[in-house]
Amino acid sequence: MTTGGTPALAGIKVIELARILAGPFAGQILADLGAEVIKVESPAGDDTRQWGPPWVDRADGNREASYYHACNRGKRGVIADFNDPADLAFVRALIADADVVIENYKLGTLARFGLDYETLSADNPGLVYCSITGFGQTGPYAPRPGYDYVIQGMSGMMSLTGEPDGAPMRFGLSISDMACGLYSTIAIQAALLARANTGRGQQIDMSLLDCSVGLLANQAMSYFVTGEVPPRMGNAHASVVPYQVYALADGHLIVATANDGQFLRLARLLGLDALADDPRLQDNAGRLAHRDEMNAALSAAMAVLTKAEMRERCEANNVPVGPINRLDEVFADLQVVARGMKVELSDGLASVRSPIIFSDASLALGRASPMHGEHDAEIRGAMGLPARA
């Protein structure tokens, strides 16, 4: 779903020297917002092109992993071997009038090719240069490679995820990479706004570990305030009850009562007037103190109801409730359909829309992920350069 108006970042030129997920995800968001994003790949291509199955078969006969298409929509693609002087000159020429560079090379790698911020900004002082690494540009871990799974463990996320008596669990998504991509997009836009005021670009230092620690939010505050390490809670909430998954006669539902009134309505719609009237349960602190006793009664009352019955009762009484959808159910959901979250691209593939709706700007959707080097000859030709040998 898009509205009228020019895309918000129309006229912004982004050179993406990034691969895998965090950097390309940031590049894809900027492309959706209307920026011209040129993805520079090595002759071997982005590693995620080979992260299959499942595979996407192209019209030109090439095959790529669906993973690659999850974070490269809307870009144009060129090929460059940094060890080739002509290719290196081509990349430097691309960056000479660029607004943004996104890179996620290991610390010091691009400096060997004169593609570091200090070198590039000397010729392009307005350049916003976003460096994405596992651990940032400083600190004892800065030279280390960073991988999403490792970062999820190091950041504390996995210690908070999983059943209380089970093993720590990773998210079902590469949340550390994606969070870093989102934070990077925010930082890039802020730096462009600062440039409008100062005329100067700057380097942005983004770390997967920093971004993941930054997501700890209320759990970190709980630790800071109490000095106690929060335990894994499974599907329960550490600070709010009842706020978890419950088993019903034909499956599971999430019931999420966030205030006292919602709890009282929940208890009464289940016929549990004794809970609603219990003086110990009139506020959240009391419900936390008596979580197990209260949940035993709630669970028993819900176990004899179907999901449809429970949803009908909750929705009629303004008690937050929701299903646990599979992906086929997500993209058939009336609200998801109404909001246009699934988009069709120029190559016939579907993709997930960036979840942004402006009142007076549109998203630049529709362009498929580039084939390896798809726009290389076109872009070099426009710059007066011969096609790559």
Side-chain angles (χ1 to χ4, degrees):
M1 174 184 290
T2 59
T3 57
T6 302
L9 294 184
I12 296 296
K13 179 180 177 182
V14 179
I15 306 302
E16 182 187 298
L17 309 179
R19 62 267 194 235
I20 313 297
L21 183 53
F25 189 51
Q28 177 172 279
I29 297 169
L30 295 173
D32 280 356
L33 291 171
E36 177 193 16
V37 180
I38 299 175
K39 183 179 182 69
V40 180
E41 296 182 73
S42 73
D46 191 313
D47 291 354
T48 59
R49 290 181 182 274
Q50 306 305 318
W51 283 14
W55 302 103
V56 173
D57 291 314
R58 294 277 202 168
D60 66 351
N62 287 318
R63 165 176 280 193
E64 298 157 338
S66 63
Y67 196 114
Y68 164 77
H69 292 268
C71 50
N72 287 290
R73 174 183 66 237
K75 305 171 187 177
R76 294 200 290 166
V78 300
I79 296 173
D81 180 352
F82 295 165
N83 292 300
D84 181 319
D87 277 0
L88 188 56
F90 165 57
V91 174
R92 289 182 63 100
L94 281 175
I95 296 172
D97 65 348
D99 299 286
V100 178
V101 166
I102 302 173
E103 64 91 5
N104 64 351
Y105 282 79
K106 286 181 63 177
L107 189 69
T109 298
L110 290 183
R112 300 203 307 266
F113 302 101
L115 295 175
D116 54 299
Y117 173 69
E118 288 74 13
T119 302
L120 295 174
S121 62
D123 295 325
N124 183 355
L127 183 66
V128 172
Y129 186 99
C130 182
S131 296
I132 298 174
T133 58
F135 300 99
Q137 302 293 303
T138 61
Y141 301 162
R144 296 185 185 180
Y147 293 92
D148 177 272
Y149 205 154
V150 174
I151 299 297
Q152 287 195 35
M154 292 182 69
S155 67
M157 287 182 177
M158 289 178 61
S159 75
L160 300 169
T161 307
E163 293 300 325
D165 298 324
M169 297 292 292
R170 68 179 290 274
F171 278 65
L173 302 168
S174 296
I175 191 69
S176 295
D177 274 332
M178 296 180 74
C180 193
L182 289 168
Y183 275 123
S184 296
T185 305
I186 295 167
I188 288 167
Q189 293 178 97
L192 288 172
L193 182 59
R195 186 184 71 176
N197 295 323
T198 67
R200 300 188 304 276
Q202 59 186 296
Q203 184 174 16
I204 301 167
D205 176 3
M206 300 301 303
S207 152
L208 266 67
L209 182 60
D210 291 357
C211 292
S212 296
V213 172
L215 292 180
L216 294 178
N218 60 297
Q219 295 282 31
M221 285 305 303
S222 175
Y223 168 68
F224 293 155
V225 169
T226 67
E228 297 177 1
V229 176
R232 290 191 297 280
M233 299 291 295
N235 284 317
H237 195 288
S239 303
V240 184
V241 290
Y243 201 96
Q244 65 183 71
V245 173
Y246 289 94
L248 283 88
D250 60 346
H252 295 82
L253 280 178
I254 299 166
V255 178
T257 59
N259 59 51
D260 299 337
Q262 290 172 353
F263 165 70
L264 294 177
R265 294 195 296 275
L266 173 66
R268 296 200 189 282
L269 71 84
L270 290 172
L272 299 174
D273 290 346
L275 284 188
D277 296 333
D278 189 330
R280 301 174 303 166
L281 306 179
Q282 298 307 300
D283 60 26
N284 187 67
R287 292 191 292 275
L288 278 170
H290 300 91
R291 181 198 296 264
D292 292 343
E293 178 185 348
M294 179 194 65
N295 259 334
L298 292 172
S299 296
M302 287 186 234
V304 299
L305 300 175
T306 66
K307 292 186 291 184
E309 290 170 337
M310 185 64 185
R311 288 185 70 177
E312 182 178 355
R313 292 190 189 187
C314 287
E315 289 168 2
N317 287 276
N318 197 25
V319 173
V321 64
I324 301 171
N325 287 333
R326 303 184 308 268
L327 292 197
D328 58 336
E329 295 168 318
V330 170
F331 290 105
D333 185 278
L334 294 177
Q335 183 67 15
V336 175
V337 171
R339 299 288 287 181
M341 287 304 299
K342 177 181 176 182
V343 295
E344 302 294 333
L345 304 182
S346 58
D347 61 356
L349 286 180
S351 192
V352 180
R353 175 178 67 79
S354 286
I356 301 168
I357 298 176
F358 297 104
S359 66
D360 192 28
S362 61
L363 295 182
L365 301 172
R367 186 198 291 267
S369 302
M371 290 181 281
H372 189 208
E374 178 178 352
H375 305 94
D376 195 274
E378 172 192 332
I379 291 174
R380 289 175 189 259
M383 296 170 65
L385 300 174
R388 188 172 188 273

